[in-house]
Amino acid sequence: MGCLGSVPGAPEAPEIELDMEAVGDAITDAIKGIPDNIDKNLREFPDEVKNCQEEKWAVPDTTMELAKDYTQEQLQEAAIVAACGTAVKDAIKDAIWGQFEPKIDEQLDAVEELNNAMGKKVKDKAKDKFKESTIDPLVDKAVDEALEKAKSEMNK
């Protein structure tokens, strides 16, 4: 699949513009739930390990395992890593995208030459590229920072 923008006569998507401060605020609000998720994990993981039939319990959304004789430090680390895992990142990305996609659609729909079948492909590609190059990395960075902050607070 080639780049439609390089074909003479093919429509091109305009640069997508969003209020990045609003995006940042939405991400900040979304990650505020991470400490609650950590606390929930700290409460629930001990029962999960105890009720596990195996020697080790696989911590959800991580590559970690907790043995029946885990230490408090291992429990804390597992709770933190699970609260900042891929599923959490993906849920935040989806929530942020859901909040801002209508504004992006509005911008792209305003471009007359994109209101046909080929234009729809150009719009979809522009939206995917924007999400992958802007929204996703910002969420990843924010969640990773929350992870590091929680780990550093654990070590105090």
Side-chain angles (χ1 to χ4, degrees), residues 1-147:
M1 206 182 250
C3 177
L4 290 175
S6 63
V7 176
E12 289 188 37
E15 186 169 326
I16 294 171
E17 294 182 19
L18 278 182
D19 178 352
M20 294 312 291
E21 186 174 332
V23 172
D25 290 345
I27 292 170
T28 299
D29 287 345
I31 64 169
K32 284 181 181 173
I34 289 176
D36 291 337
N37 290 341
I38 293 169
D39 289 342
K40 179 178 176 245
N41 292 346
L42 287 170
R43 287 189 312 273
E44 294 178 359
F45 285 6
D47 287 338
E48 295 288 347
V49 174
K50 187 172 92 178
N51 296 330
C52 178
Q53 303 300 317
E54 309 295 322
E55 276 301 305
K56 293 184 176 182
W57 177 68
V59 179
D61 202 23
T62 73
T63 58
M64 300 175 74
E65 293 181 325
L66 283 177
K68 302 264 184 199
D69 61 346
Y70 63 84
T71 64
Q72 186 62 26
E73 186 175 285
Q74 289 168 329
L75 172 64
Q76 287 176 317
E77 184 176 359
I80 291 167
V81 173
C84 298
T86 304
V88 171
K89 285 182 181 180
D90 289 347
I92 293 172
K93 288 174 187 176
D94 290 346
I96 300 301
W97 186 245
Q99 186 176 344
F100 290 98
E101 186 179 23
K103 292 177 174 100
I104 294 169
D105 285 337
E106 210 174 273
Q107 286 179 41
L108 296 176
D109 289 345
V111 179
E112 191 65 37
E113 63 264 15
L114 296 181
N115 292 325
N116 57 41
M118 186 181 287
K120 179 175 178 359
K121 290 180 182 175
V122 172
K123 286 193 274 191
D124 289 346
K125 185 174 176 102
K127 286 171 44 176
D128 288 346
K129 183 177 178 186
F130 184 81
K131 184 176 184 297
E132 291 170 7
S133 65
T134 306
I135 301 294
D136 291 355
L138 289 172
V139 170
D140 288 340
K141 182 177 185 232
V143 174
D144 290 346
E145 287 173 357
L147 170 73

